[in-house]
Amino acid sequence: MSDRKIPAAALWALGLTQIIGYGTLYYSFSILVPSIALEFAWPEQWVFGALSASLLVGGLFAPTAGRWADHFGAGRVMTFGSAAAAAALVACALAPGRVTFVLALMAMELASAFVLYSAAFVAIVQVGGARAQRSITHLTLIAGFASTMFWPLTAALHEYLTWREVYLVFAGINVAICLPIHAWLARLSHRTDESASPIPAAIGPAGGAVASRDRSRVFLLMLGGFAVEGFVLSSILVHMVPLTTALGLGSAGLVVTTLFGPSQVASRLINMLFGGRLAQTWLAVIGATLLPLGLVALLATTPSVAGAIAFVILFGLGSGLASIVGGTLPLELFGRERYGARLGWVTAARQFSSALAPFALAMAMAGMGVQPSLWLTAAVGMLGILAFSAIILIRRQPLGAAIPLVNANSS
């Protein structure tokens, strides 16, 4: 492990691969769904259902991808992932029918476990351990522009190309840009390890900040908190535009939702400038609080446009913080040892809840109405606040005050 920080060129290059990865493997999908559904004579909700199933499959494999990043090096894993992502995109483009398309879509989400945030965060720690938390914040700031770039880019390409041809273009981008960058990061990581001094990296001890007696329950609380955040974010983001319409905001609701992306990026920028001295556990609590707080602001003021603006801004700020602490909190709590594996479990927890959330909210709205469903979602979001707050309380307990619930090595 190097005691140097990651080179700026490597961080920017890694950020570029995250923009391309999220843009081609995730954000482009919603733009292409109508054409995919039309060609396969499939209702659009079933195409989105196929994506949800694929996210579940990708979540199942995320812990394995994290262990491989620990064992083989994140750069090598991401190089393989770039090739796999390109192959999966080609398979989607050439799929002759529904079944083969769904299988290719599952392969695409499996590949994403090797190239997106979880793997990239491990690469940052392995290439340059010093100030890894700050570098992770920088990376999320760069990658925050993925939707801003790839929604219009995909739409522009689709004006001239079929959805199949768009996926072939995206496959070429992954091979031509992401694969060489990840291969370079693999070589850079190897050289850094060879030249590293034996001084521990300035990101805390390898064992982390949590006492061995508390590691299992803190780990489970952390996963629970991230799962709750994933559920709230996914359920609201998928339904955000129709929700604002259903609450009486009309066409203004669509305009208001455009503030989400800038708010998300703003939270990362604010954290980068002013959050350096704040513990990641407190950032996790703040991020978890902003999500239900935004929903309460919306429900308490509807159909006020000002209240909707407050909702979108608070929700965007919370989402931005959630993406940061997803990488930094496991590092602060448990250190560098088995960091990739733990990050894989964080990804799995988020993807499981994220995949189920839109369907769950849709069923709730159909059964009990929009406003009661949103109040229930806000209540669920408060469970995330409790989970992260419990971690703070556990860490403040004096030595010998608690009895371990399970074997600490299980985390």
Side-chain angles (χ1 to χ4, degrees):
M1 175 67 63
S2 171
D3 59 349
R4 302 180 302 176
K5 66 179 182 179
I6 184 171
L11 186 62
W12 280 99
L14 189 58
L16 175 61
T17 70
Q18 294 304 287
I19 291 174
I20 293 172
Y22 276 101
T24 60
L25 301 176
Y26 186 75
Y27 288 116
S28 64
F29 188 79
S30 61
I31 304 296
L32 302 177
V33 160
S35 297
I36 295 170
L38 181 64
E39 180 170 333
F40 289 136
W42 223 2
E44 289 187 19
Q45 59 264 35
W46 284 101
V47 183
F48 279 111
L51 177 63
S52 293
S54 301
L55 288 170
L56 284 172
V57 171
L60 283 172
F61 206 76
T64 300
R67 288 194 296 270
W68 288 4
D70 284 334
H71 183 71
F72 299 107
R76 292 178 180 175
V77 166
M78 296 183 80
T79 303
F80 163 78
S82 294
L89 285 164
V90 171
C92 279
L94 301 179
R98 298 174 183 176
V99 174
T100 49
F101 174 79
V102 172
L103 291 174
L105 192 60
M106 288 182 177
M108 197 161 74
E109 294 308 322
L110 280 174
S112 70
F114 294 95
V115 295
L116 298 184
Y117 269 161
S118 292
F121 293 161
V122 179
I124 285 175
V125 173
Q126 291 178 347
V127 173
R131 300 175 66 191
Q133 291 179 349
R134 186 169 179 82
S135 296
I136 287 172
T137 302
H138 289 171
L139 181 68
T140 59
L141 179 63
I142 298 167
F145 292 96
S147 60
T148 305
M149 294 179 62
F150 267 85
W151 276 335
L153 175 61
T154 304
L157 287 173
H158 197 29
E159 288 184 5
Y160 302 97
L161 304 174
T162 67
W163 68 268
R164 295 179 182 273
E165 292 168 338
V166 170
Y167 270 151
L168 289 175
V169 170
F170 287 166
I173 292 174
N174 275 273
V175 169
I177 299 178
C178 296
L179 193 150
I181 289 175
H182 292 154
W184 171 57
L185 287 171
R187 294 193 298 271
L188 180 63
S189 178
H190 179 67
R191 291 197 302 269
T192 301
D193 286 342
E194 288 181 343
S195 61
S197 75
I199 301 173
I203 55 175
V210 178
S212 59
R213 69 183 187 201
D214 297 323
R215 293 171 78 83
S216 291
R217 56 177 177 167
V218 167
F219 183 69
L220 293 175
L221 284 168
M222 181 183 71
L223 291 186
F226 285 132
V228 167
E229 283 186 336
F231 182 91
V232 175
L233 280 166
S234 179
S235 61
I236 298 301
L237 289 179
V238 170
H239 297 288
M240 182 176 283
V241 175
L243 275 176
T244 55
T245 302
L247 291 172
L249 291 168
S251 59
L254 180 60
V255 177
V256 167
T257 58
T258 61
L259 297 173
F260 175 79
S263 300
Q264 187 172 235
V265 173
S267 72
R268 296 166 181 171
L269 181 60
I270 292 169
N271 180 65
M272 183 180 70
L273 295 175
F274 305 109
R277 296 182 180 180
L278 193 63
Q280 301 306 301
T281 44
W282 282 108
L283 277 180
V285 171
I286 293 170
T289 302
L290 288 169
L291 300 180
L293 184 61
L295 286 172
V296 170
L298 175 67
L299 290 165
T301 61
T302 189
S304 165
V305 174
I309 291 174
F311 152 66
V312 173
I313 291 176
L314 290 169
F315 217 72
L317 292 172
S319 175
L321 286 180
S323 64
I324 294 171
V325 297
T328 57
L329 185 59
L331 190 61
E332 178 181 271
L333 294 177
F334 302 104
R336 303 184 302 271
E337 185 181 359
R338 299 174 59 201
Y339 174 65
R342 289 194 174 90
L343 214 54
W345 280 107
V346 169
T347 301
R350 279 179 162 171
Q351 285 195 196
F352 286 156
S353 60
S354 297
L356 299 173
F359 177 74
L361 182 59
M363 292 295 292
M365 289 190 295
M368 56 193 298
V370 174
Q371 292 203 31
S373 299
L374 293 183
W375 280 113
L376 180 60
T377 304
V380 171
M382 292 177 185
L383 296 177
I385 304 173
L386 294 176
F388 292 127
S389 298
I391 293 175
I392 295 176
L393 293 176
I394 290 172
R395 291 181 62 185
R396 287 182 173 179
Q397 287 180 344
L399 189 64
I403 298 174
L405 300 177
V406 291
N407 187 343
N409 293 325
S410 63
S411 65

